[in-house]
Amino acid sequence: MSSTITETEIEVPPLPPPIPQAPRPPKKLKPARKQVKPGDVVKTETVQTGKEYNIWYNKWAGGDREDSYSNKTKSQTRCNIKNDTGLTRANTTGMKYTCLFFARGCCPYGWECEYRHTLPTANEDLPDSSKDCFARDKFADYRDDMGGVGSFNRQNRTLYVGRIKETGTGPETEEVVARHFREWGTIERIRVLQYRSVAFVTYVSEFNAQFAKEAMACQSLDNDEILNVRWATEDPNPVQKVAEKRRLEVMGQEAIQARMDPRIVDAMRAVRALEDGVELEDEGPEVEEPQDDDEDEDMEPEAKRRRIENGPSASASPPLSQAESETPPNPTGLLSADTLEGLKYFAEIRKRNGATAAPQQRAPPPVVVKPAGLGLADYGSDDED
């Protein structure tokens, strides 16, 4: 017999402790410096090896599979977060996107740049979710080589890192990869495929993964190799699929709770509890009743307080003259104190009288049989002719 395992039965192992970012960017920002001078970076065109020119994709077809993004030419510049982070015009204009050339280490504008020269944060809300942190439009699907900007249909936080020169064991290679990639953000986990020169780096934030993909493209680690950094495909491991689904659910719940007014939530809980006849654990704020100086010595301190939601039972305890002289307490939520007392009063009445009778079902309206015909008189004509 074949038994199927549901998602609730899959046990997700706890994640290892995340690898914190290091070195940390400076707390006090200065005007951003110019990473390069005009003319320092010499751009070399990739040699076309194709035989036919595709006017749709604007490149040669049928040649080498490697494109200009994954070429085997080492990048001439590299970003240094500790030295290159600084203030730009974007900090005064309100621009929230990061400079692409700053990530690649070749921005010649410095503090005059119209984009930010800082690492994107995990809790930062960008204006458009269909764009990456560099303001580039995402697409519905990934490229065949998993390069480019990426897709807006899936939140991808994992990078594929190829062409790694392994000179030691798996843990040693993992330590080298972590030391170079932790500069761009906090890493959730790293998986190294030993003897295959491949590693998968998963960041805590998708924005950090987008930044690291551009910052480490065609860069080197410790052995003067040229990395091939691309987006990773979806992990086929069912445990990781369930863990990612639960993580997205938790993120959605936290986002909804953060945007909702807590007073509305408390008011809805109070109304539902009153309708169901259930007494909430949190009874609300306490209000002190005004007492005379002579009665303070005789009455206990506990009798000096009452709950707002206790209804008419609490209001019947003090004398009539004293209850009339009380000033109504200020409402602390959307519902006033009088409204809460009224709801409590009706809930007590319904509890004493028992369950309410079921509402009577109305008879269905009679079916009107229309005469057969073309129905020419249905168009509101008063003249039969």
Side-chain angles (χ1 to χ4, degrees):
M1 295 178 64
S2 61
S3 59
T4 59
I5 301 177
T6 60
E7 294 182 357
T8 56
E9 298 176 355
I10 297 179
E11 296 183 0
V12 179
L15 292 174
I19 303 174
Q21 179 187 0
R24 303 287 297 179
K27 296 182 179 179
K28 188 176 181 181
L29 298 180
K30 299 180 180 179
R33 71 183 185 93
K34 297 180 180 180
Q35 295 174 306
V36 295
K37 296 180 181 179
D40 289 350
V41 180
V42 180
K43 185 177 180 180
T44 56
E45 296 291 339
T46 306
V47 179
Q48 299 289 348
T49 58
K51 303 300 181 181
E52 297 178 356
Y53 188 77
N54 192 323
I55 61 175
W56 181 262
Y57 290 100
N58 195 23
K59 66 178 182 179
W60 294 89
D64 190 4
R65 183 177 178 273
E66 301 288 344
D67 55 6
S68 60
Y69 181 82
S70 61
N71 58 13
K72 300 180 180 181
T73 304
K74 185 178 179 181
S75 177
Q76 303 178 36
T77 58
R78 178 168 176 170
C79 178
N80 189 330
I81 290 297
K82 189 175 181 180
N83 298 330
D84 296 339
T85 301
L87 300 174
T88 60
R89 291 181 177 176
N91 297 97
T92 58
T93 59
M95 171 64 69
K96 295 182 180 290
Y97 294 103
T98 309
C99 178
L100 175 63
F101 300 98
F102 161 72
R104 296 176 179 176
C106 58
C107 182
Y109 297 106
W111 62 272
E112 298 178 349
C113 185
E114 300 294 338
Y115 293 86
R116 290 181 178 267
H117 278 204
T118 55
L119 270 177
T121 57
N123 54 359
E124 186 175 2
D125 294 333
L126 296 181
D128 193 351
S129 60
S130 63
K131 295 183 179 181
D132 64 352
C133 64
F134 304 109
R136 298 179 300 180
D137 292 327
K138 295 181 181 180
F139 298 93
D141 201 358
Y142 289 93
R143 282 175 22 180
D144 294 339
D145 56 359
M146 297 303 291
V149 180
S151 172
F152 54 76
N153 289 325
R154 182 166 69 95
Q155 188 183 37
N156 200 340
R157 302 176 296 125
T158 305
L159 298 178
Y160 164 89
V161 185
R163 301 197 198 121
I164 301 176
K165 287 186 180 180
E166 301 182 47
T167 57
T169 60
E172 294 178 356
T173 305
E174 181 178 344
E175 190 274 332
V176 173
V177 174
R179 188 174 72 253
H180 284 269
F181 278 83
R182 67 188 299 183
E183 184 179 359
W184 322 114
T186 304
I187 298 176
E188 184 177 289
R189 65 179 182 273
I190 296 178
R191 182 187 177 190
V192 176
L193 303 182
Q194 196 174 6
Y195 308 121
R196 298 180 65 177
S197 303
V198 173
F200 294 93
V201 182
T202 302
Y203 284 88
V204 175
S205 173
E206 182 185 13
F207 299 143
N208 296 126
Q210 296 171 359
F211 192 96
K213 178 177 175 295
E214 296 295 336
M216 293 301 296
C218 300
Q219 299 290 346
S220 301
L221 298 182
D222 289 349
N223 302 310
D224 200 24
E225 67 269 53
I226 301 175
L227 299 179
N228 179 20
V229 185
R230 298 180 180 274
W231 291 114
T233 56
E234 189 174 2
D235 195 346
N237 188 357
V239 177
Q240 295 298 332
K241 287 184 177 180
V242 173
E244 182 67 15
K245 182 178 179 180
R246 293 177 183 176
R247 188 187 69 86
L248 294 177
E249 290 177 355
V250 171
M251 288 181 58
Q253 293 176 1
E254 293 177 353
I256 293 174
Q257 293 177 0
R259 292 183 178 275
M260 289 186 65
D261 191 349
R263 297 178 300 174
I264 298 178
V265 179
D266 296 339
M268 293 298 297
R269 289 178 62 248
V271 171
R272 290 180 180 177
L274 292 175
E275 292 177 352
D276 299 338
V278 179
E279 187 173 357
L280 293 177
E281 297 179 359
D282 187 10
E283 296 291 342
E286 297 178 350
V287 178
E288 295 185 2
E289 293 184 359
Q291 299 289 340
D292 297 336
D293 296 338
D294 298 334
E295 297 177 355
D296 291 345
E297 299 176 357
D298 300 333
M299 299 182 63
E300 297 180 358
E302 296 180 357
K304 297 179 183 179
R305 295 171 176 263
R306 69 178 180 87
R307 303 278 185 179
I308 294 179
E309 292 87 350
N310 280 348
S313 59
S315 62
S317 57
L320 182 60
S321 60
Q322 181 181 354
E324 293 177 353
S325 62
E326 289 181 353
T327 57
N330 295 328
T332 58
L334 297 180
L335 300 179
S336 61
D338 297 335
T339 305
L340 292 175
E341 290 182 1
L343 291 175
K344 273 289 186 180
Y345 177 71
F346 286 115
E348 291 291 338
I349 293 177
R350 188 174 66 174
K351 188 181 296 185
R352 293 173 184 174
N353 297 337
T356 58
Q360 298 180 358
Q361 297 183 356
R362 297 181 178 179
V367 180
V368 179
V369 181
K370 297 183 178 181
L374 297 178
L376 297 179
D378 295 341
Y379 289 92
S381 176
D382 298 333
D383 192 0
E384 295 181 356
D385 296 335

